[in-house]
Amino acid sequence: MENRADGQADERRALALASLIGVDWGSTGLRAFLVGTDGLALAERATSRGASTLSGKEAFAEVLEQVAGDWMRARPDLKVLACGMVGSLHGWLDVPYAVCPANAPALAAGVAVTPNGEAHIVPGLLYDDGELPPDVMRGEETQILGALALRPELQGASCIVLPGTHSKWAQVRDGEVQRFATHMTGELYAVLRQHSVLGRLMESGGGFDEAAFNDGIDAARVNGHLGVGHQMFAARTLGVTGRLPAAALADYLSGLLIGHELRAGLAWRGEAGLDQAPLALVGSRELCRRYELALRRYGDVPSLALDNTAPAGLLTLARAAGLAPN
Amino acid sequence: MENRADGQADERRALALASLIGVDWGSTGLRAFLVGTDGLALAERATSRGASTLSGKEAFAEVLEQVAGDWMRARPDLKVLACGMVGSLHGWLDVPYAVCPANAPALAAGVAVTPNGEAHIVPGLLYDDGELPPDVMRGEETQILGALALRPELQGASCIVLPGTHSKWAQVRDGEVQRFATHMTGELYAVLRQHSVLGRLMESGGGFDEAAFNDGIDAARVNGHLGVGHQMFAARTLGVTGRLPAAALADYLSGLLIGHELRAGLAWRGEAGLDQAPLALVGSRELCRRYELALRRYGDVPSLALDNTAPAGLLTLARAAGLAPN
């Protein structure tokens, strides 16, 4: 009972101090925050009601009410600002992409409001140089702005890497996202493990096999010219021939795929003249740890790793859009 | 009725002329042949009773009896020789791999017979240089020997490419398979199309989109250093941004993945000093056509394309093993 009373007192304090109700609303889940003046989350709630699980615009309003209705009634002066797939064609509102290069004011200029005014929604970001195929993100642009707000030393020139199902690599100069590239590493790993011949020999359990992971990284780093479509077959042959135990094959494949992402991503960063600039990892601790290990194999050390930068990014955008006090 | 009588007469002739009952018995299907003295199939039958569909050793004997029992009774002097996954751990008999470099006599020395003598089975082939992860094939070694038998100009020095679910690239010198590499191109395409976000926008129908396929090849050829795990995302973004119609996205992805296979495979061939040697494609006409188009984008022209070389390879091995008259 005491804990519950403490929790209620904490939430009252958080409500009193908050500048914004921020929502990071992706395909598969939603996190809502009371965001303080420093860009950190004073309170946080999560649900699995992601944009891809909802149909009909009313469903979005209902979920927002369930998750944050009490916050909105307690502080009717606070605005709600959401980022992520909530702003896509199959989301709450189809918000057109902002275009690279883009900084916080440019993204803020694209913020749109839902028809009944329940929430404001951040645009996604498009990179299109007219030559290469275009690239898109929704949600990560806000996490990037959050990283820049929390760590101003990244604003001048940096490379920001957001590992995940679809990893994003972003080149930043003068507070602008100049260019970015998506790598489908996480999804590739998942579909190969669940649906290809490579998953058949793999056994789970036994924890993270760092040696097998490093072997995968090194295969990409040293022999990546042989092609990832060839090298991934080793996640079968190393098992068939007894070179690696079944419990190690998944981490070998993970290392190989992350290794190929780094092989391409680090060269891309170098071509942009950013190899001396800070490299920041933004994402869950477990995934950032894998990328840190992989970067070290490449002789590169990430300058910093940040978790949950969405609240800071949402506050930055809310201020730039006049939706939160400066 | 006349056609049926003709068919029976053809089959009697085929039976009279045959040197071998050959079976190409893969994971998902089986093809049985009456093989003539020239290595061509005089008669052919197919079923979907592949090794991965069967459990228990008896099932293999039953399927062979159903498919070729009348041939075996009509010509009890003919041996049955089978290649492919039928010789794997989960096949009829686990036949140990022969080891590269290997020629026809070396592979023939590894042929094993089933416990009740119904059939002889060809070993698979292992490449293991002790440094790179090992690579394996079962069935393709026989197709390669068939290509060498049908086209003796390939025996001195050549690169033989067998496109498929798991494409195989083989380096041949002096009639020996010296080295080979598997590329999981076909399976990668299938799992991405069926199970990843890339498949969602794709529409079928409308036939082969050669322009989109070529765009995919060129993306790999010109900008492959950006990484296939990045470039495949274009099969989504080109659709999202309306650059390619939904019906073209699958062929774009197909071109991109085949293009990456060629990027790695042609460099691998060059490193082995085989870039002036003939390059032969062995596989279905439709798939060989895609690879021919792709090779032309790379400025390389395949020397020849061959379909169904397994009967000739089986005859070569049967002769070398003393299972068919020379």
Side-chain angles (χ1 to χ4, degrees):
Chain A
M1 292 297 278
E2 209 172 81
N3 281 344
R4 189 173 168 191
D6 282 356
Q8 287 174 346
D10 284 350
E11 184 136 317
R12 271 197 303 277
R13 261 193 302 276
L15 271 168
L17 293 170
S19 284
L20 177 73
I21 297 172
V23 186
D24 183 0
W25 203 330
S27 290
T28 57
L30 169 163
R31 293 202 294 174
F33 312 98
L34 288 172
V35 187
T37 54
D38 55 2
L40 299 181
L42 298 161
E44 176 177 338
R45 294 170 179 173
T47 88
S48 58
R49 308 295 302 278
S52 70
T53 72
L54 303 177
S55 62
K57 309 302 175 194
E58 308 75 22
F60 287 88
E62 284 164 22
V63 170
L64 178 62
E65 163 62 29
Q66 286 160 17
V67 172
D70 58 335
W71 289 351
M72 293 157 72
R73 278 184 291 283
R75 285 287 308 273
D77 59 314
L78 293 184
K79 302 289 186 188
V80 175
L81 183 61
C83 67
M85 292 305 280
V86 66
S88 68
L89 183 59
H90 301 291
W92 193 345
L93 188 70
D94 186 14
V95 185
Y97 290 105
V99 179
C100 279
N103 56 13
L107 280 156
V111 167
V113 65
T114 58
N116 296 326
E118 303 95 331
H120 289 75
I121 302 182
V122 176
L125 190 56
L126 171 75
Y127 173 74
D128 186 359
D129 63 12
E131 200 160 323
L132 293 171
D135 210 328
V136 293
M137 56 169 63
R138 278 203 191 271
E140 294 91 349
E141 72 296 326
T142 302
Q143 293 178 265
I144 293 167
L145 292 181
L148 300 183
L150 294 171
R151 299 297 182 107
E153 69 268 29
L154 298 174
Q155 290 175 15
S158 60
C159 181
I160 301 187
V161 179
L162 302 96
T165 303
H166 294 176
S167 295
K168 306 287 182 182
W169 287 60
Q171 297 173 2
V172 172
R173 282 188 195 274
D174 302 324
E176 281 185 341
V177 179
Q178 296 209 314
R179 183 175 175 176
F180 66 88
T182 302
H183 292 257
M184 289 181 61
T185 309
E187 184 164 12
L188 198 49
Y189 173 78
V191 297
L192 287 172
R193 183 158 185 188
Q194 290 163 31
H195 300 290
S196 86
V197 69
L198 300 184
R200 279 191 220 150
L201 294 177
M202 291 178 184
E203 283 172 14
S204 300
F208 176 52
D209 190 322
E210 189 172 323
F213 180 79
N214 283 338
D215 282 352
I217 297 289
D218 287 349
R221 186 172 59 83
V222 178
N223 293 308
H225 60 282
L226 295 175
V228 66
H230 161 60
Q231 292 187 296
M232 62 176 61
F233 195 55
R236 176 170 177 79
T237 58
L238 290 170
V240 167
T241 56
R243 300 282 184 88
L244 275 184
L249 296 171
D251 284 323
Y252 181 87
L253 181 63
S254 169
L256 181 71
L257 297 178
I258 292 174
H260 270 278
E261 178 184 331
L262 263 56
R263 183 182 175 92
L266 292 174
W268 176 87
R269 176 179 72 141
E271 270 179 35
L274 288 171
D275 36 6
Q276 300 305 313
L279 187 153
L281 292 170
V282 177
S284 73
R285 278 189 203 172
E286 198 215 317
L287 211 46
C288 284
R289 185 178 158 226
R290 288 191 179 229
Y291 277 69
E292 276 189 40
L293 285 170
L295 280 164
R296 283 173 204 275
R297 304 297 291 184
Y298 274 89
D300 212 319
V301 179
S303 308
L304 60 146
L306 295 167
D307 195 1
N308 194 18
T309 61
L314 288 163
L315 182 64
T316 297
L317 287 167
R319 283 174 169 163
L323 301 171
N326 278 297
Chain B
M1 292 298 277
E2 211 174 79
N3 280 344
R4 189 173 168 190
D6 282 357
Q8 288 174 345
D10 284 349
E11 184 136 317
R12 270 196 304 275
R13 263 193 302 275
L15 269 168
L17 293 170
S19 285
L20 176 74
I21 298 172
V23 187
D24 184 0
W25 204 329
S27 290
T28 57
L30 169 161
R31 293 203 293 174
F33 313 99
L34 287 172
V35 187
T37 54
D38 56 0
L40 298 182
L42 298 161
E44 176 177 338
R45 295 170 178 174
T47 87
S48 58
R49 308 294 301 277
S52 70
T53 72
L54 302 177
S55 62
K57 308 302 174 194
E58 308 74 24
F60 287 88
E62 283 164 21
V63 170
L64 178 62
E65 163 62 29
Q66 286 160 17
V67 173
D70 58 336
W71 289 351
M72 292 157 72
R73 278 183 293 281
R75 284 289 306 273
D77 59 312
L78 293 183
K79 303 290 187 190
V80 176
L81 183 61
C83 67
M85 292 305 280
V86 66
S88 68
L89 182 60
H90 301 290
W92 193 346
L93 187 69
D94 186 15
V95 185
Y97 290 105
V99 179
C100 279
N103 56 13
L107 280 156
V111 168
V113 64
T114 58
N116 296 325
E118 303 95 332
H120 289 75
I121 301 181
V122 176
L125 190 56
L126 171 75
Y127 174 75
D128 186 0
D129 64 10
E131 201 160 322
L132 293 170
D135 209 330
V136 293
M137 56 169 62
R138 278 204 189 270
E140 294 91 350
E141 72 296 325
T142 303
Q143 293 178 264
I144 292 167
L145 291 181
L148 300 184
L150 294 171
R151 298 300 181 104
E153 70 268 30
L154 298 174
Q155 290 176 14
S158 60
C159 180
I160 301 187
V161 178
L162 302 98
T165 304
H166 293 175
S167 295
K168 306 287 181 182
W169 288 60
Q171 297 173 2
V172 172
R173 282 189 196 273
D174 302 323
E176 282 186 339
V177 180
Q178 298 209 311
R179 185 175 173 176
F180 66 88
T182 302
H183 292 257
M184 290 182 59
T185 307
E187 184 164 12
L188 199 49
Y189 173 78
V191 297
L192 287 172
R193 183 159 184 187
Q194 290 163 32
H195 300 290
S196 86
V197 70
L198 301 182
R200 280 192 219 148
L201 294 176
M202 291 178 183
E203 281 172 16
S204 300
F208 176 52
D209 190 322
E210 189 171 324
F213 180 79
N214 283 338
D215 282 351
I217 296 288
D218 287 349
R221 187 172 59 81
V222 179
N223 293 308
H225 60 282
L226 296 174
V228 65
H230 161 60
Q231 292 186 296
M232 62 176 62
F233 196 55
R236 176 169 177 80
T237 59
L238 289 170
V240 167
T241 57
R243 300 281 184 89
L244 275 184
L249 296 171
D251 285 323
Y252 181 87
L253 181 63
S254 169
L256 181 71
L257 297 179
I258 291 174
H260 270 278
E261 178 182 333
L262 263 57
R263 182 182 176 92
L266 292 173
W268 176 87
R269 175 178 74 140
E271 270 180 35
L274 289 171
D275 37 6
Q276 299 305 314
L279 187 152
L281 293 169
V282 177
S284 74
R285 276 187 205 175
E286 197 215 318
L287 211 45
C288 283
R289 185 177 160 227
R290 288 191 179 229
Y291 276 69
E292 277 189 40
L293 285 170
L295 280 164
R296 283 172 204 277
R297 305 296 292 184
Y298 275 90
D300 212 320
V301 179
S303 308
L304 61 147
L306 296 167
D307 197 359
N308 194 18
T309 61
L314 287 163
L315 182 65
T316 298
L317 286 168
R319 283 173 169 163
L323 300 172
N326 277 298

